[in-house]
Amino acid sequence: MLTPGEGMLCVFAVKRGEIENRLDVSFNLPQIIEKDVLYRVPLGELCIREPDYGVSAAAIERTDESQVKYIRITDFSDYGIEKEHIYTTVANFLPKHILNDGDILFARSGSIGRTFQYDRELGAAVFAGYCIRFTIDPKKALPEYVYWYTKTSRYANWVRRIKRPTVQANINKEEFKSLEVVLPPYSEQLRLASGIAAALKLRISKLNEANALLAGSDRFVLDKLKIDYSPALPNIGVAVELRTLQREKTFGAGYYHPERLAVINAIENDSAVSTRRLSEIVDFLRSTVRAGNDSKYLGLAGVARDTGELSGVEETADGLAFEYHAGDVLFSRLRPYLNKVLFAETDGICSTEFHVMRVNCADVMPEYLAAVLRSGIIVTQTRHMMTGNTHPRISNDDVKNLRVPIPAIAVQSEIVDELRFRIQDSRSIRREAEAEWALAVEWFERELTESR
């Protein structure tokens, strides 16, 4: 229920003759009931076929041979930009679950009301069970326009009104079919969809530019460290001396993969800087608190891959979390190949899937450590140290044994100064991109209202 703090009424009356199907508060809030005279058509009447529910994750069989992917809305941003989707190939699905170009997915639970439009360029795919697939008849409405309509405040208000205020909020298929879509003439639909799509393309271009500034830091770091290595060619077998097994206390083919050994050799033998194990320069902190609905909670999705920046994705948790403080370094132990390493600029609490590290020696700068942990020389090590298939992780001991090059403080300072400059530029580009995008969304909604 909305509260007075949100600027909404908390007490109101409804005439008996105006009551529709439900008596709950959210359904009858006067602020979110549309009373304009715009021409609207129920979503169900725009479909070329009956909407379908998706395939449950528990009902699919994962295989490396199938070329069909499993699409989840949560793997994409609100506007269809891919975040960090880990495609899962599947088998044992029904033909009706195969997505068609332009299909719109609606989340019926979880991220309730969220939408995603499938593009054939993603490859053959089926969709998650918490989604409902709508195939819009292009003779009745432009599918791209209908998708963008679901990003308006009108749609958000509808979702807020229609979802049931239960423990697991949801919207069923029939309710989604009843969604009334404002439908201007086809030429207007095309103009609005084309305009917002062009704005999105510009936004993506600028966000990619901002990411490239930070992702390109890896080469700068390695050049400053004077470390040069080439990925090793895959070998069928690996021979390891017994004394090496005894020293490393690890027995596994991946751990002794030629590529991993090559990068360690480049760090320890070919580099002009000293090398230490991670456990020699940091303390691993495990101070736990109850997460609840703390706004300071940081989940794995809250850190962008490769860049060390916050992604803007907010998550909640109801369990234990780790405390961290400004100056600490957070390192993801789940799917380390996603390269999620954060230098904390503020205090907060985070998922227990992070290692929280605090530098304990004067000759290592925390910001430098975060930068080098994001570099290819670390990712190459962790790539071959993971265990587990569905949720691959790197063990605590293996993280502690990561080899880290430690140059002179002067070199670390050069690296940190350059990264700070890049971060400042990157954030400036992001702010510009988001400001322009906000104006585009405002334009779309204004034009929608004025289209008669």
Side-chain angles (χ1 to χ4, degrees), residues 192-311:
L192 292 172
S194 298
I196 199 70
L200 178 63
K201 185 176 180 180
L202 179 60
R203 177 177 183 245
I204 293 174
S205 176
K206 289 196 172 183
L207 292 180
N208 288 340
E209 180 185 352
N211 287 338
L213 267 175
L214 300 180
S217 301
D218 185 26
R219 186 66 264 166
F220 171 78
V221 171
L222 296 184
D223 287 344
K224 279 294 178 183
L225 295 176
K226 295 182 172 56
I227 295 177
D228 186 24
Y229 76 97
S230 300
L233 295 175
N235 287 357
I236 296 177
V238 179
V240 182
E241 294 180 340
L242 178 60
R243 61 181 178 180
T244 302
L245 295 176
Q246 293 172 332
R247 182 183 71 247
E248 297 294 329
K249 299 179 180 179
T250 300
F251 187 79
Y255 192 86
Y256 301 102
H257 191 283
E259 186 180 42
R260 179 175 176 275
L261 297 182
V263 75
I264 290 177
N265 182 66
I267 297 172
E268 295 186 334
N269 301 323
D270 299 339
S271 172
V273 301
S274 64
T275 303
R276 294 186 226 171
R277 293 177 188 260
L278 187 57
S279 60
E280 297 172 352
I281 58 176
V282 303
D283 293 323
F284 288 83
L285 309 177
R286 299 180 63 84
S287 177
T288 57
V289 295
R290 178 65 62 176
N293 292 318
D294 197 313
S295 60
K296 294 182 179 180
Y297 177 79
L298 179 68
L300 292 179
V303 178
R305 62 185 303 176
D306 299 325
T307 67
E309 288 284 84
L310 296 175
S311 67

Side-chain angles (χ1 to χ4, degrees), residues 315-328:
E315 296 181 272
T316 58
D318 186 18
L320 293 181
F322 287 151
E323 282 186 312
Y324 65 88
H325 296 282
D328 289 343

Side-chain angles (χ1 to χ4, degrees), residues 131-431:
C131 298
I132 305 175
R133 181 258 301 278
F134 283 75
T135 302
I136 305 300
D137 187 344
K139 295 180 181 178
K140 297 179 180 179
L142 183 67
E144 290 78 6
Y145 167 81
V146 176
Y147 169 70
W148 285 114
Y149 181 80
T150 67
K151 304 304 179 183
T152 64
S153 59
R154 285 173 170 272
Y155 174 74
N157 284 337
W158 180 84
V159 170
R160 187 188 305 169
R161 183 188 184 205
I162 207 73
K163 66 181 181 181
R164 296 182 191 83
T166 59
V167 176
Q168 178 70 24
N170 65 89
I171 299 176
N172 64 35
K173 180 168 68 174
E174 294 305 314
E175 288 166 334
F176 272 120
K177 287 168 65 175
S178 73
L179 166 66
E180 293 188 331
V181 179
V182 175
L183 208 63
Y186 190 88
S187 60
E188 278 296 290
Q189 296 177 41
L190 183 60
R191 183 177 72 88
L192 292 172
S194 298
I196 199 70
L200 178 63
K201 185 176 180 180
L202 179 60
R203 177 177 183 245
I204 293 174
S205 176
K206 289 196 172 183
L207 292 180
N208 288 340
E209 180 185 352
N211 287 338
L213 267 175
L214 300 180
S217 301
D218 185 26
R219 186 66 264 166
F220 171 78
V221 171
L222 296 184
D223 287 344
K224 279 294 178 183
L225 295 176
K226 295 182 172 56
I227 295 177
D228 186 24
Y229 76 97
S230 300
L233 295 175
N235 287 357
I236 296 177
V238 179
V240 182
E241 294 180 340
L242 178 60
R243 61 181 178 180
T244 302
L245 295 176
Q246 293 172 332
R247 182 183 71 247
E248 297 294 329
K249 299 179 180 179
T250 300
F251 187 79
Y255 192 86
Y256 301 102
H257 191 283
E259 186 180 42
R260 179 175 176 275
L261 297 182
V263 75
I264 290 177
N265 182 66
I267 297 172
E268 295 186 334
N269 301 323
D270 299 339
S271 172
V273 301
S274 64
T275 303
R276 294 186 226 171
R277 293 177 188 260
L278 187 57
S279 60
E280 297 172 352
I281 58 176
V282 303
D283 293 323
F284 288 83
L285 309 177
R286 299 180 63 84
S287 177
T288 57
V289 295
R290 178 65 62 176
N293 292 318
D294 197 313
S295 60
K296 294 182 179 180
Y297 177 79
L298 179 68
L300 292 179
V303 178
R305 62 185 303 176
D306 299 325
T307 67
E309 288 284 84
L310 296 175
S311 67
V313 176
E314 296 183 1
E315 296 181 272
T316 58
D318 186 18
L320 293 181
F322 287 151
E323 282 186 312
Y324 65 88
H325 296 282
D328 289 343
V329 176
L330 277 57
F331 183 91
S332 173
R333 69 189 186 94
L334 177 64
R335 296 193 179 98
Y337 53 83
L338 290 179
N339 199 17
K340 297 195 171 193
V341 183
L342 176 75
F343 171 75
E345 298 179 17
T346 61
D347 298 349
I349 62 174
C350 65
S351 166
T352 54
E353 290 292 356
F354 281 111
H355 288 287
V356 179
M357 300 176 286
R358 186 169 299 163
V359 173
N360 59 17
C361 50
D363 61 342
V364 178
M365 300 177 66
E367 285 177 90
Y368 163 76
L369 177 63
V372 77
L373 288 178
R374 279 193 299 273
S375 71
I377 56 177
I378 300 298
V379 176
T380 301
Q381 292 182 59
T382 60
R383 185 185 299 126
H384 301 292
M385 300 165 75
M386 298 181 298
T387 58
N389 294 321
T390 305
H391 300 290
R393 291 178 173 84
I394 180 171
S395 73
N396 294 345
D397 288 338
D398 285 343
V399 171
K400 293 176 181 179
N401 283 327
L402 289 173
R403 271 65 160 192
V404 181
I406 310 296
I409 281 290
V411 176
Q412 294 183 44
S413 294
E414 286 186 55
I415 291 173
V416 168
D417 288 344
E418 173 65 20
L419 294 185
R420 286 175 179 171
F421 176 78
R422 294 188 182 209
I423 288 171
Q424 182 179 1
D425 269 7
S426 174
R427 291 178 180 177
S428 177
I429 294 171
R430 284 181 176 278
R431 286 192 296 269

